[in-house]
Amino acid sequence: MKAERIKKFIKTYAMFIVLIVLIIVFSILSPSFLTGSNITAILRQITMLGTTAVGMMLPILLGGIDLSVGAIITFVNVICAYMMVNWNVNPVLAVIASLAVSTLVGMIDGVIIAKISIPPLIMTFAMQMVLEGLSFVISKGLPIYGFTEKFTIIGQGYVGVVPIPVIIMTICFIFGSFILNKTYFGRFFYAVGGNEEASKLSGLNVFNVKTLAYTLSGLFAGIAGIVMLSRTNSGAPNAGKGFEMDVLTAIVLGGVSVNGGRGKMNNVVAGVLIIGALQNGLVLLGVGTYVQYIVKGIVLAAAVGIDCFQRQQETA
């Protein structure tokens, strides 16, 4: 009985154990890793990653994927910056309009995937290309800058000693956890991801569930895009290029099954923190960017492999 409890504990908190081990290793290798300023820097760096992961987790729970989140971040960067600089739109209205657009993009993905049954991989990749193209057309391939200083508060400000982006990310995690654990739709995500056909037969509106998942994914990616724009103070036409792969790695590393129907928000938090600590630790050790790509690729493959192995063991 005791052995079973230990096994269950390790399985439940495996990602947090990995995170602790990672922190210990990097602290030994680099004395500056476990300092207050560096910890704050890590938390600031993962805010866009964590915020986007909350939304992208939902399509993955359904057994789908959303490859358009990086392009949504870029598009929000460009259109929000364009509205404020070229049209002199009030920053608050520009942010609201940009989030409305990102939410609409997510909803379009969800409706087409649910109604026409286009594979999520294809549909969201197509949307990624469309948004990347639009971003370059609108910006003419050049960064857009010249906002008011007040706008930078979102991405660079503090409440006491806590960075505002970290507060935004935390609120998003809490909101995502509430949806999954305290609402009917949260249960529906797991049900559809576990067995879509059985969900249909039991009377669930699968169309609405899929549409909501991708709509929320678009919304959270939009929030991350606003934070990124405020932090960099420049609307770049390639701001979120390739960002979706970091998000996917964090989510899968956090134990969300790529086959759908399984995953918890607290483990996604651990996955995001692991990616943040890993990237920061490698930088402190002087590891090059391309070597970091190799490490993250290995981590993603290992996480998916473990998930597939667990599925095989359960069905054996």
Side-chain angles (χ1 to χ4, degrees):
M1 183 66 73
K2 189 175 180 180
E4 289 181 4
R5 287 181 180 178
I6 294 173
K7 187 177 179 180
K8 185 178 179 181
F9 177 85
I10 293 174
K11 187 176 180 180
T12 303
Y13 298 102
M15 288 302 101
F16 288 97
I17 295 171
V18 171
L19 177 61
I20 292 170
V21 171
L22 201 62
I23 290 172
I24 293 172
V25 170
F26 280 130
S27 298
I28 294 171
L29 296 176
S30 175
S32 59
F33 180 81
L34 205 58
T35 59
S37 60
N38 192 56
I39 296 299
T40 301
I42 292 174
L43 292 175
R44 285 174 63 89
Q45 288 165 4
I46 65 171
T47 50
M48 284 81 74
L49 178 67
T51 302
T52 310
V54 174
M56 189 172 172
M57 175 186 178
L58 303 179
I60 294 177
L61 276 178
L62 298 179
I65 195 171
D66 189 354
L67 294 180
S68 66
V69 292
I72 289 175
I73 289 173
T74 298
F75 193 56
V76 164
N77 264 249
V78 170
I79 61 170
C80 189
Y82 191 90
M83 283 189 286
M84 289 189 293
V85 174
N86 294 78
W87 292 349
N88 294 317
V89 176
N90 180 282
V92 175
L93 294 178
V95 168
I96 293 172
S98 300
L99 292 179
V101 170
S102 72
T103 304
L104 178 62
V105 168
M107 185 168 64
I108 291 171
D109 277 340
V111 169
I112 294 176
I113 288 168
K115 194 72 175 178
I116 308 179
S117 297
I118 294 179
L121 179 71
I122 302 301
M123 181 59 217
T124 57
F125 181 62
M127 182 62 78
Q128 179 191 85
M129 290 191 290
V130 169
L131 294 179
E132 286 179 351
L134 285 172
S135 297
F136 271 93
V137 169
I138 294 171
S139 68
K140 298 179 181 178
L142 300 172
I144 302 173
Y145 52 88
F147 325 134
T148 61
E149 193 170 329
K150 290 182 179 179
F151 182 75
T152 61
I153 293 174
I154 300 173
Q156 302 177 27
Y158 286 80
V159 174
V161 296
V162 183
I164 289 177
V166 175
I167 296 174
I168 293 173
M169 178 183 67
T170 303
I171 292 172
C172 289
F173 276 132
I174 293 171
F175 182 71
S177 182
F178 176 80
I179 290 175
L180 291 177
N181 298 317
K182 301 296 182 180
T183 67
Y184 285 111
F185 267 106
R187 299 172 193 171
F188 296 164
F189 290 136
Y190 287 106
V192 173
N195 192 322
E196 183 175 331
E197 195 58 38
S199 298
K200 289 179 180 178
L201 294 174
S202 65
L204 286 184
N205 191 323
V206 174
F207 174 85
N208 286 347
V209 174
K210 287 187 176 182
T211 301
L212 180 61
Y214 285 91
T215 300
L216 289 174
S217 183
L219 172 61
F220 283 106
I223 294 172
I226 295 297
V227 173
M228 181 181 289
L229 176 63
S230 176
R231 181 180 174 183
T232 60
N233 208 27
S234 174
N238 59 353
K241 185 74 174 178
F243 193 71
E244 62 279 351
M245 300 316 297
D246 283 344
V247 180
L248 178 62
T249 302
I251 293 171
V252 175
L253 188 60
V256 180
S257 175
V258 291
N259 296 303
R262 185 171 62 189
K264 294 182 179 180
M265 188 60 69
N266 62 332
N267 285 336
V268 171
V269 174
V272 169
L273 290 171
I274 288 172
I275 293 298
L278 187 63
Q279 289 178 331
N280 181 270
L282 292 175
V283 169
L284 289 178
L285 295 177
V287 177
T289 302
Y290 297 110
V291 177
Q292 292 181 40
Y293 287 157
I294 295 171
V295 173
K296 286 189 286 187
I298 293 172
V299 169
L300 176 59
V304 174
I306 291 170
D307 172 53
C308 293
F309 177 75
Q310 289 177 340
R311 286 273 184 174
Q312 291 174 357
Q313 291 295 104
E314 291 172 1
T315 56

